[in-house]
Amino acid sequence: MSKRSLNPEEEQRAVSAKIDAQDVPKTAHTSNEPDIPMGEFEDEYSDEFESDGEIIEVDNEEEFDDEAEGDQIDKKNQNAQALLEQDQANEQEKQELYLPHKSRPLGPDEVLEADPTVYEMLHNVNLPWPCLTIDVIPDSLGSERRSYPQSLLMATATQASKKKDNELMVLQLSQLNKTLVKGEDDDEADNDDDEDADADPVIENENISLKDTTNRLKVSPFASSAQEVLTASMSENGEVYIFDLAPQTKAFNTPGYQIPKSAKRPMHVVKNHGNVEGYGLDWSPLIKTGALVTGDCSGQIYYTQRHTSKWVTDKQPFTVANNLSVEDLQWSRTESTVFASCGCDGYIRIWDTRSKKHKPAISAKASSTDVNVISWNEKIGYLLASGDDNGTWGIWDLRQFAPHNSESAQPVAQYDFHKSAITSISFNPLDESIIAVASEDNTVTLWDLSVEADDEEIKQQAAETKELQEIPPQLLFVHWQKEVKDVKWHKQIPGCLLSTGTDGLNIWKTISV
C-alpha cells in the first residue's frame, strides 16, 4: 500500500484513546466524583475521547472481556483491508494505456520496457552497425515449429559509418527460449526444471565484405540451406549483388568446414542501374531458376533472370515518363509474369514482363504522397497492401483496378493509426488476414483484418477503457523498436517476426498471433 501523507490540520488530533473500566468521559452533567484538576495545557473541550470507533462504552459493574477485545481487533483489520483495497483501486485508476506514438513523450528519466506477459518469445541482438534490411533464410528443421528452444537462419546487411566497413551478415540463432514469466506461487523446485530454459541464446555469424551500404536485401523463396541460398542485395552505389549463401549456412553445422573464397564474392552483379541507388528488389516466388526485378531512384526497373548458369538482365528497363523513384517491388503470388511497383509519384502500378513496350498494364493513384512499401497477400492473389509517407496504410483489391479509374480507385480498408512514414509492411504468409506494419514512429503494429468493428465484446472493451475508443478494433498488438526499418515473418515458425532498427535486431512472437 502506498504511503499516505499526513494532513497538517490533523497533526494534533488523537487517533486512539484507551480508558479504564472505571473511567468515564467528561461531560457537562453533574457527577458525584470529585473533579480531577486539568493539566496546565489541557483543553477542557478536547475531543480526544470522541474519536469514532475508539470509545468503548462499558457498564461500571462489568469488566472488559476477551470477546469484546477480539471484536475490536477484527474491526480494525477490516478497516485496514478496506483502506488497502481503496489504495489499490486508486492505483489502477491512475494506470493509462500507453501508445508510444500517441501518448505523452517519455520523460528524461523514463524508458519503455517490454511486458514479458504479452510475448511468447522476445530476444534482442546487438550488432556493430545498424541494418536497414533483413530477411529469413529457409532451413531444413521443418515447418509449423512451435516447441522451444527455437533456431533460425537469417541474413542482413549493415549501414556502417565508413563504406569499407560494410558487411553482409549471415546469422544462425539457436537456443531461443520461450519468454519466462514466473508467478508468485511458483515452487522453488521448478528452478531445476527451468535451467535449460534459462540458457543464453547462441549466435553464430559468417560475414561477407561489401563496398557500400545495403538498402534492400531479399532471400530467394526457393532457397534451401542444403542446396542453394540465392540472396540479392541492392547497394547505395547502384549495384545489385547476387550471392549464394549455402556455404555460409553449411559452416554453422559442419565442424571444420572452410568456406571457399569464391563464396565470399557475388556470383553475379547487375550494373544496369549505373550509379543510381535504389530500394525496389524482389525475387519471383514462381520461377525456380531465379528471376529478379530491381528498381532505382530514377524510376528504372530492370528484369534479371538466369538461363542455365548465366544471368541475363534486359537492356530495356520498365519505366514511366516521370522518372520518379521506385520505392518497392513485389511479384505476384499467382502469375509468373506479373509484378507490382510503388513509388514517389503516389501510384501503384501493375506490370507484365511480356510487354514489349515495357510500360505498366494498370496504374492507380494510391496516395497524395510517396508510397514507400507494398506487400502481396500470400494466399489471396488479388489483395495488395501499401504504406505511405503520411503513416497511412491500406488494402487494395486489384480486381477493381482498371484504366478508366486510375485516379479514383479506393482501398477496401485504410488506417491512419501511425503518425510517421510507413517503412515496412508484410502479410503473414500463414494467415491471410494478419498483417505487420512498421513505422518511423518506432513501432511495429500487428493487425487482424477479419475482426468486425460491431462485435459486442469490442464495444464493451471500448466502453470500459477510454483510450480504446480511439484505437481500431483490428489492431492486435504494438511492439516498440527504435527507428524500425524492416519487418519479416518467419514462414516455418508460426507467429514469429524479425525486425531491424538502429538498436539492433528483434526476434519476437506475441501471444496475440
Side-chain angles (χ1 to χ4, degrees):
M1 182 172 70
S2 60
K3 295 183 179 178
R4 294 147 59 86
S5 60
L6 181 65
N7 190 333
E9 296 179 358
E10 298 178 351
E11 290 182 357
Q12 302 303 324
R13 183 174 65 83
V15 296
S16 64
K18 294 184 180 179
I19 60 176
D20 295 332
Q22 292 80 12
D23 294 340
V24 296
K26 296 180 178 62
T27 61
H29 71 273
T30 60
S31 173
N32 295 329
E33 296 293 332
D35 292 338
I36 300 175
M38 291 190 300
E40 181 179 355
F41 300 104
E42 189 170 1
D43 183 358
E44 65 174 320
Y45 301 108
S46 171
D47 61 351
E48 63 177 323
F49 297 122
E50 297 178 3
S51 298
D52 292 340
E54 295 296 333
I55 296 179
I56 304 172
E57 295 183 7
V58 298
D59 194 303
N60 289 338
E61 297 178 358
E62 294 181 358
E63 296 293 329
F64 183 69
D65 56 11
D66 292 339
E67 184 178 353
E69 184 177 0
D71 292 341
Q72 289 298 313
I73 293 175
D74 290 343
K75 188 173 183 179
K76 288 182 179 180
N77 289 338
Q78 292 174 0
N79 291 338
Q81 181 65 27
L83 288 173
L84 178 60
E85 292 175 355
Q86 181 63 37
D87 281 353
Q88 291 175 343
N90 291 338
E91 286 296 324
Q92 290 178 355
E93 290 178 0
K94 293 178 182 178
Q95 292 180 354
E96 59 178 331
L97 182 62
Y98 188 85
L99 296 173
H101 64 301
K102 281 181 172 286
S103 304
R104 60 175 179 79
L106 291 176
D109 299 326
E110 292 180 316
V111 295
L112 282 177
E113 292 186 357
D115 181 358
T117 63
V118 298
Y119 287 93
E120 186 172 312
M121 177 176 65
L122 176 61
H123 296 280
N124 303 318
V125 180
N126 294 320
L127 298 177
W129 301 106
C131 299
L132 299 176
T133 181
I134 192 173
D135 206 357
V136 178
I137 298 176
D139 56 44
S140 57
L141 299 179
S143 301
E144 293 289 327
R145 305 204 301 265
R146 300 180 185 274
S147 59
Y148 291 88
Q150 294 282 6
S151 178
L152 58 85
L153 288 169
M154 54 167 288
T156 186
T158 61
Q159 184 186 29
S161 59
K162 297 181 180 178
K163 292 184 178 183
K164 64 181 182 65
D165 294 333
N166 280 293
E167 295 177 313
L168 188 155
M169 306 177 71
V170 184
L171 305 175
Q172 177 172 269
L173 285 71
S174 53
Q175 290 297 320
L176 299 177
N177 290 300
K178 192 173 184 178
T179 300
L180 298 178
V181 181
K182 289 195 174 290
E184 297 179 357
D185 298 332
D186 288 349
D187 296 330
E188 295 182 1
D190 291 342
N191 292 336
D192 296 336
D193 299 334
D194 292 336
E195 285 183 0
D196 293 337
D198 289 335
D200 292 333
V202 177
I203 303 175
E204 301 170 84
N205 68 289
E206 292 290 344
N207 300 342
I208 298 174
S209 296
L210 296 175
K211 298 178 182 178
D212 213 329
T213 294
T214 299
N215 293 336
R216 192 68 56 86
L217 176 146
K218 289 285 185 71
V219 176
S220 168
F222 298 106
S224 170
S225 58
Q227 297 177 3
E228 188 179 53
V229 182
L230 291 180
T231 302
S233 65
M234 191 148 194
S235 176
E236 259 189 13
N237 61 17
E239 295 182 340
V240 179
Y241 305 112
I242 300 176
F243 293 91
D244 179 9
L245 301 180
Q248 281 75 14
T249 61
K250 182 179 179 181
F252 295 135
N253 301 311
T254 309
Y257 176 77
Q258 295 293 325
I259 299 175
K261 290 184 179 180
S262 59
K264 296 184 179 182
R265 297 190 297 268
M267 61 191 303
H268 182 72
V269 180
V270 179
K271 297 184 177 182
N272 297 58
H273 296 281
N275 60 355
V276 180
E277 69 173 319
Y279 295 86
L281 175 69
D282 198 31
W283 288 99
S284 169
L286 300 175
I287 304 176
K288 294 183 178 181
T289 54
L292 185 72
V293 284
T294 54
D296 60 36
C297 293
S298 66
Q300 311 293 307
I301 302 172
Y302 284 93
Y303 176 41
T304 302
Q305 55 185 328
R306 181 166 58 175
H307 300 283
T308 62
S309 61
K310 185 179 181 182
W311 294 89
V312 178
T313 302
D314 289 353
K315 293 183 179 180
Q316 182 182 356
F318 294 86
T319 186
V320 291
N322 60 30
N323 294 325
L324 294 178
S325 176
V326 173
E327 297 292 281
D328 200 5
L329 294 166
Q330 281 273 295
W331 280 95
S332 167
R333 270 48 181 172
T334 57
E335 299 180 66
S336 61
T337 62
V338 176
F339 67 91
S341 72
C342 66
C344 291
D345 58 1
Y347 278 82
I348 293 175
R349 304 184 191 277
I350 308 299
W351 310 74
D352 194 319
T353 58
R354 297 170 296 183
S355 170
K356 295 182 179 180
K357 295 182 178 180
H358 285 54
K359 297 298 180 183
I362 301 175
S363 299
K365 185 72 172 179
S367 174
S368 59
T369 183
D370 302 1
V371 180
N372 298 325
V373 287
I374 52 177
S375 175
W376 216 307
N377 193 299
E378 297 274 354
K379 294 181 177 294
I380 304 176
Y382 54 81
L383 290 184
L384 187 76
S386 69
D388 67 20
D389 244 8
N390 290 333
T392 301
W393 68 274
I395 307 295
W396 302 86
D397 186 340
L398 300 183
R399 296 174 301 179
Q400 299 178 2
F401 283 18
H404 68 274
N405 69 346
S406 62
E407 300 292 330
S408 59
Q410 296 295 320
V412 294
Q414 191 172 55
Y415 301 90
D416 59 357
F417 179 78
H418 289 282
K419 299 306 177 186
S420 297
I422 305 299
T423 57
S424 183
I425 191 166
S426 180
F427 272 109
N428 186 341
L430 304 178
D431 189 332
E432 67 271 13
S433 66
I434 305 293
I435 191 168
V437 182
S439 170
E440 285 184 356
D441 59 23
N442 304 319
T443 62
V444 179
T445 52
L446 304 183
W447 302 75
D448 186 353
L449 302 178
S450 66
V451 173
E452 297 291 341
D454 58 353
D455 186 275
E456 289 300 326
E457 183 179 357
I458 293 173
K459 289 182 178 180
Q460 182 179 354
Q461 291 174 347
E464 293 174 354
T465 306
K466 179 181 178 181
E467 292 88 345
L468 288 178
Q469 298 174 5
E470 301 178 1
I471 298 175
Q474 291 79 17
L475 179 63
L476 285 179
F477 195 82
V478 179
H479 172 78
W480 185 90
Q481 186 174 5
K482 186 177 180 182
E483 296 181 16
V484 60
K485 298 297 183 182
D486 199 6
V487 61
K488 291 289 191 305
W489 295 91
H490 198 298
K491 293 183 179 180
Q492 297 171 276
I493 307 176
C496 177
L497 294 113
L498 287 73
S499 54
T500 178
T502 55
D503 58 351
L505 310 177
N506 286 181
I507 296 91
W508 50 287
K509 181 179 180 180
T510 170
I511 61 174
S512 300
V513 178

